[in-house]
mmCIF file of all heavy atoms in Angstrom:
data_model
loop_
_atom_site.group_PDB
_atom_site.id
_atom_site.type_symbol
_atom_site.label_atom_id
_atom_site.label_comp_id
_atom_site.label_asym_id
_atom_site.label_seq_id
_atom_site.Cartn_x
_atom_site.Cartn_y
_atom_site.Cartn_z
ATOM 1 N N TRP A 293 53.734 126.200 174.660
ATOM 2 C CA TRP A 293 54.148 127.611 174.687
ATOM 3 C C TRP A 293 53.851 128.269 176.030
ATOM 4 O O TRP A 293 54.684 129.019 176.557
ATOM 5 C CB TRP A 293 53.490 128.391 173.541
ATOM 6 C CG TRP A 293 51.987 128.515 173.613
ATOM 7 C CD1 TRP A 293 51.072 127.643 173.080
ATOM 8 C CD2 TRP A 293 51.225 129.555 174.245
ATOM 9 N NE1 TRP A 293 49.789 128.066 173.334
ATOM 10 C CE2 TRP A 293 49.852 129.238 174.045
ATOM 11 C CE3 TRP A 293 51.554 130.703 174.952
ATOM 12 C CZ2 TRP A 293 48.819 130.043 174.543
ATOM 13 C CZ3 TRP A 293 50.535 131.511 175.439
ATOM 14 C CH2 TRP A 293 49.175 131.184 175.241
ATOM 15 N N LEU A 294 52.686 127.981 176.574
ATOM 16 C CA LEU A 294 52.300 128.626 177.829
ATOM 17 C C LEU A 294 53.153 128.121 178.988
ATOM 18 O O LEU A 294 53.628 128.918 179.822
ATOM 19 C CB LEU A 294 50.816 128.373 178.103
ATOM 20 C CG LEU A 294 50.201 129.118 179.285
ATOM 21 C CD1 LEU A 294 50.317 130.628 179.101
ATOM 22 C CD2 LEU A 294 48.735 128.725 179.451
ATOM 23 N N GLU A 295 53.376 126.831 179.037
ATOM 24 C CA GLU A 295 54.202 126.256 180.098
ATOM 25 C C GLU A 295 55.640 126.765 180.002
ATOM 26 O O GLU A 295 56.288 127.026 181.029
ATOM 27 C CB GLU A 295 54.180 124.724 180.012
ATOM 28 C CG GLU A 295 52.842 124.084 180.313
ATOM 29 C CD GLU A 295 51.837 124.187 179.162
ATOM 30 O OE1 GLU A 295 52.224 124.602 178.047
ATOM 31 O OE2 GLU A 295 50.653 123.865 179.402
ATOM 32 N N THR A 296 56.125 126.932 178.767
ATOM 33 C CA THR A 296 57.487 127.455 178.576
ATOM 34 C C THR A 296 57.598 128.888 179.072
ATOM 35 O O THR A 296 58.558 129.247 179.769
ATOM 36 C CB THR A 296 57.885 127.368 177.096
ATOM 37 O OG1 THR A 296 57.878 125.999 176.679
ATOM 38 C CG2 THR A 296 59.264 127.957 176.860
ATOM 39 N N ALA A 297 56.606 129.712 178.733
ATOM 40 C CA ALA A 297 56.621 131.106 179.189
ATOM 41 C C ALA A 297 56.615 131.173 180.715
ATOM 42 O O ALA A 297 57.354 131.976 181.316
ATOM 43 C CB ALA A 297 55.430 131.861 178.607
ATOM 44 N N ARG A 298 55.829 130.343 181.333
ATOM 45 C CA ARG A 298 55.763 130.345 182.802
ATOM 46 C C ARG A 298 57.068 129.826 183.405
ATOM 47 O O ARG A 298 57.557 130.362 184.409
ATOM 48 C CB ARG A 298 54.578 129.519 183.270
ATOM 49 C CG ARG A 298 53.224 130.088 182.844
ATOM 50 C CD ARG A 298 52.060 129.261 183.331
ATOM 51 N NE ARG A 298 51.914 129.334 184.788
ATOM 52 C CZ ARG A 298 50.966 128.706 185.475
ATOM 53 N NH1 ARG A 298 50.085 127.948 184.841
ATOM 54 N NH2 ARG A 298 50.894 128.821 186.778
ATOM 55 N N ALA A 299 57.641 128.774 182.819
ATOM 56 C CA ALA A 299 58.883 128.211 183.350
ATOM 57 C C ALA A 299 60.036 129.205 183.255
ATOM 58 O O ALA A 299 60.955 129.180 184.090
ATOM 59 C CB ALA A 299 59.238 126.933 182.595
ATOM 60 N N LEU A 300 59.987 130.076 182.243
ATOM 61 C CA LEU A 300 61.027 131.087 182.057
ATOM 62 C C LEU A 300 60.772 132.340 182.896
ATOM 63 O O LEU A 300 61.541 133.297 182.815
ATOM 64 C CB LEU A 300 61.125 131.468 180.579
ATOM 65 C CG LEU A 300 61.695 130.392 179.651
ATOM 66 C CD1 LEU A 300 61.426 130.739 178.193
ATOM 67 C CD2 LEU A 300 63.185 130.215 179.902
ATOM 68 N N GLY A 301 59.716 132.323 183.694
ATOM 69 C CA GLY A 301 59.403 133.482 184.512
ATOM 70 C C GLY A 301 59.009 134.694 183.702
ATOM 71 O O GLY A 301 59.257 135.834 184.124
ATOM 72 N N CYS A 302 58.391 134.467 182.540
ATOM 73 C CA CYS A 302 58.016 135.580 181.675
ATOM 74 C C CYS A 302 56.858 136.380 182.278
ATOM 75 O O CYS A 302 56.045 135.846 183.038
ATOM 76 C CB CYS A 302 57.599 135.067 180.296
ATOM 77 S SG CYS A 302 58.978 134.414 179.316
ATOM 78 N N VAL A 303 56.822 137.650 181.922
ATOM 79 C CA VAL A 303 55.699 138.500 182.303
ATOM 80 C C VAL A 303 54.752 138.718 181.128
ATOM 81 O O VAL A 303 53.652 139.244 181.304
ATOM 82 C CB VAL A 303 56.175 139.868 182.833
ATOM 83 C CG1 VAL A 303 57.058 139.689 184.049
ATOM 84 C CG2 VAL A 303 56.910 140.665 181.740
ATOM 85 N N ALA A 304 55.173 138.317 179.917
ATOM 86 C CA ALA A 304 54.373 138.585 178.722
ATOM 87 C C ALA A 304 54.618 137.525 177.665
ATOM 88 O O ALA A 304 55.651 136.843 177.650
ATOM 89 C CB ALA A 304 54.708 139.962 178.156
ATOM 90 N N VAL A 305 53.637 137.410 176.768
ATOM 91 C CA VAL A 305 53.772 136.650 175.531
ATOM 92 C C VAL A 305 53.522 137.629 174.401
ATOM 93 O O VAL A 305 52.565 138.405 174.436
ATOM 94 C CB VAL A 305 52.782 135.470 175.477
ATOM 95 C CG1 VAL A 305 52.858 134.770 174.135
ATOM 96 C CG2 VAL A 305 53.059 134.491 176.604
ATOM 97 N N VAL A 306 54.410 137.596 173.411
ATOM 98 C CA VAL A 306 54.335 138.531 172.279
ATOM 99 C C VAL A 306 54.074 137.706 171.027
ATOM 100 O O VAL A 306 54.961 136.992 170.553
ATOM 101 C CB VAL A 306 55.626 139.351 172.137
ATOM 102 C CG1 VAL A 306 55.450 140.443 171.092
ATOM 103 C CG2 VAL A 306 56.043 139.946 173.479
ATOM 104 N N CYS A 307 52.849 137.786 170.507
ATOM 105 C CA CYS A 307 52.409 136.903 169.427
ATOM 106 C C CYS A 307 52.281 137.625 168.098
ATOM 107 O O CYS A 307 51.934 138.812 168.046
ATOM 108 C CB CYS A 307 51.035 136.314 169.749
ATOM 109 S SG CYS A 307 51.059 134.921 170.877
ATOM 110 N N ASN A 308 52.495 136.862 167.029
ATOM 111 C CA ASN A 308 51.978 137.277 165.731
ATOM 112 C C ASN A 308 50.500 137.612 165.917
ATOM 113 O O ASN A 308 49.755 136.850 166.543
ATOM 114 C CB ASN A 308 52.140 136.130 164.732
ATOM 115 C CG ASN A 308 51.646 136.470 163.348
ATOM 116 O OD1 ASN A 308 50.503 136.886 163.162
ATOM 117 N ND2 ASN A 308 52.502 136.281 162.365
ATOM 118 N N GLN A 309 50.096 138.759 165.380
ATOM 119 C CA GLN A 309 48.749 139.273 165.657
ATOM 120 C C GLN A 309 47.639 138.283 165.346
ATOM 121 O O GLN A 309 46.600 138.285 166.022
ATOM 122 C CB GLN A 309 48.516 140.553 164.856
ATOM 123 C CG GLN A 309 48.648 140.373 163.345
ATOM 124 C CD GLN A 309 48.206 141.591 162.585
ATOM 125 O OE1 GLN A 309 47.173 142.176 162.882
ATOM 126 N NE2 GLN A 309 48.978 141.993 161.591
ATOM 127 N N THR A 310 47.845 137.402 164.375
ATOM 128 C CA THR A 310 46.788 136.472 163.977
ATOM 129 C C THR A 310 46.549 135.382 165.017
ATOM 130 O O THR A 310 45.526 134.698 164.973
ATOM 131 C CB THR A 310 47.123 135.815 162.635
ATOM 132 O OG1 THR A 310 48.349 135.067 162.764
ATOM 133 C CG2 THR A 310 47.303 136.858 161.538
ATOM 134 N N LEU A 311 47.485 135.212 165.949
ATOM 135 C CA LEU A 311 47.356 134.145 166.946
ATOM 136 C C LEU A 311 46.453 134.513 168.111
ATOM 137 O O LEU A 311 46.001 133.632 168.845
ATOM 138 C CB LEU A 311 48.740 133.777 167.489
ATOM 139 C CG LEU A 311 49.773 133.294 166.469
ATOM 140 C CD1 LEU A 311 51.083 132.966 167.163
ATOM 141 C CD2 LEU A 311 49.263 132.086 165.686
ATOM 142 N N TRP A 312 46.204 135.804 168.283
ATOM 143 C CA TRP A 312 45.358 136.207 169.400
ATOM 144 C C TRP A 312 43.883 136.079 169.054
ATOM 145 O O TRP A 312 43.420 136.614 168.053
ATOM 146 C CB TRP A 312 45.651 137.644 169.817
ATOM 147 C CG TRP A 312 46.956 137.866 170.520
ATOM 148 C CD1 TRP A 312 47.911 138.788 170.212
ATOM 149 C CD2 TRP A 312 47.440 137.190 171.684
ATOM 150 N NE1 TRP A 312 48.959 138.718 171.087
ATOM 151 C CE2 TRP A 312 48.697 137.749 172.011
ATOM 152 C CE3 TRP A 312 46.939 136.158 172.480
ATOM 153 C CZ2 TRP A 312 49.459 137.304 173.098
ATOM 154 C CZ3 TRP A 312 47.697 135.719 173.563
ATOM 155 C CH2 TRP A 312 48.938 136.290 173.856
ATOM 156 N N ASP A 313 43.176 135.334 169.888
ATOM 157 C CA ASP A 313 41.722 135.295 169.839
ATOM 158 C C ASP A 313 41.248 135.200 171.289
ATOM 159 O O ASP A 313 42.066 135.257 172.230
ATOM 160 C CB ASP A 313 41.204 134.131 168.986
ATOM 161 C CG ASP A 313 41.703 132.769 169.436
ATOM 162 O OD1 ASP A 313 42.103 132.624 170.624
ATOM 163 O OD2 ASP A 313 41.691 131.831 168.622
ATOM 164 N N ALA A 314 39.971 135.078 171.492
ATOM 165 C CA ALA A 314 39.452 135.073 172.859
ATOM 166 C C ALA A 314 40.074 133.952 173.693
ATOM 167 O O ALA A 314 40.377 134.134 174.878
ATOM 168 C CB ALA A 314 37.929 134.945 172.840
ATOM 169 N N SER A 315 40.293 132.796 173.073
ATOM 170 C CA SER A 315 40.829 131.650 173.804
ATOM 171 C C SER A 315 42.286 131.863 174.196
ATOM 172 O O SER A 315 42.665 131.645 175.357
ATOM 173 C CB SER A 315 40.706 130.386 172.951
ATOM 174 O OG SER A 315 41.347 129.294 173.577
ATOM 175 N N SER A 316 43.140 132.272 173.255
ATOM 176 C CA SER A 316 44.563 132.423 173.565
ATOM 177 C C SER A 316 44.795 133.573 174.542
ATOM 178 O O SER A 316 45.652 133.479 175.435
ATOM 179 C CB SER A 316 45.384 132.618 172.288
ATOM 180 O OG SER A 316 44.898 133.705 171.520
ATOM 181 N N VAL A 317 44.023 134.658 174.398
ATOM 182 C CA VAL A 317 44.142 135.759 175.357
ATOM 183 C C VAL A 317 43.755 135.286 176.755
ATOM 184 O O VAL A 317 44.437 135.591 177.746
ATOM 185 C CB VAL A 317 43.287 136.966 174.918
ATOM 186 C CG1 VAL A 317 43.171 137.996 176.038
ATOM 187 C CG2 VAL A 317 43.882 137.618 173.676
ATOM 188 N N MET A 318 42.683 134.526 176.843
ATOM 189 C CA MET A 318 42.235 134.030 178.149
ATOM 190 C C MET A 318 43.290 133.112 178.758
ATOM 191 O O MET A 318 43.568 133.198 179.967
ATOM 192 C CB MET A 318 40.911 133.291 178.020
ATOM 193 C CG MET A 318 40.371 132.793 179.362
ATOM 194 S SD MET A 318 38.832 131.857 179.190
ATOM 195 C CE MET A 318 39.420 130.396 178.342
ATOM 196 N N GLN A 319 43.893 132.237 177.944
ATOM 197 C CA GLN A 319 44.928 131.344 178.460
ATOM 198 C C GLN A 319 46.105 132.125 179.030
ATOM 199 O O GLN A 319 46.598 131.838 180.127
ATOM 200 C CB GLN A 319 45.425 130.415 177.349
ATOM 201 C CG GLN A 319 44.439 129.359 176.905
ATOM 202 C CD GLN A 319 45.025 128.505 175.799
ATOM 203 O OE1 GLN A 319 45.953 127.721 176.026
ATOM 204 N NE2 GLN A 319 44.530 128.684 174.588
ATOM 205 N N ALA A 320 46.557 133.116 178.274
ATOM 206 C CA ALA A 320 47.712 133.891 178.712
ATOM 207 C C ALA A 320 47.392 134.682 179.974
ATOM 208 O O ALA A 320 48.156 134.671 180.956
ATOM 209 C CB ALA A 320 48.174 134.820 177.590
ATOM 210 N N LYS A 321 46.247 135.349 179.969
ATOM 211 C CA LYS A 321 45.919 136.207 181.114
ATOM 212 C C LYS A 321 45.593 135.378 182.350
ATOM 213 O O LYS A 321 45.891 135.796 183.477
ATOM 214 C CB LYS A 321 44.777 137.152 180.743
ATOM 215 C CG LYS A 321 45.179 138.131 179.650
ATOM 216 C CD LYS A 321 44.444 139.444 179.737
ATOM 217 C CE LYS A 321 45.115 140.469 178.835
ATOM 218 N NZ LYS A 321 44.598 141.826 179.031
ATOM 219 N N SER A 322 45.020 134.208 182.160
ATOM 220 C CA SER A 322 44.755 133.336 183.306
ATOM 221 C C SER A 322 46.049 132.870 183.962
ATOM 222 O O SER A 322 46.069 132.541 185.149
ATOM 223 C CB SER A 322 43.932 132.125 182.871
ATOM 224 O OG SER A 322 42.653 132.518 182.435
ATOM 225 N N ALA A 323 47.128 132.844 183.181
ATOM 226 C CA ALA A 323 48.443 132.466 183.711
ATOM 227 C C ALA A 323 49.205 133.675 184.245
ATOM 228 O O ALA A 323 50.375 133.547 184.629
ATOM 229 C CB ALA A 323 49.259 131.783 182.617
ATOM 230 N N GLY A 324 48.560 134.841 184.257
ATOM 231 C CA GLY A 324 49.207 136.044 184.774
ATOM 232 C C GLY A 324 50.114 136.733 183.799
ATOM 233 O O GLY A 324 50.948 137.562 184.191
#
């Protein structure tokens, strides 16, 4: 998912609320 978002030049990931935790937020934000 993260590699796909980056390959598509995305600025954001929009998740089902249950998917966000400290790890997934850190992964997304570390990728900008």
Side-chain angles (χ1 to χ4, degrees):
W293 65 270
L294 187 60
E295 293 77 9
T296 298
R298 296 181 68 180
L300 290 166
C302 290
V303 300
V305 175
V306 188
C307 280
N308 181 306
Q309 59 171 315
T310 61
L311 301 180
W312 288 129
D313 56 22
S315 174
S316 55
V317 168
M318 182 182 68
Q319 290 180 69
K321 295 209 167 190
S322 295

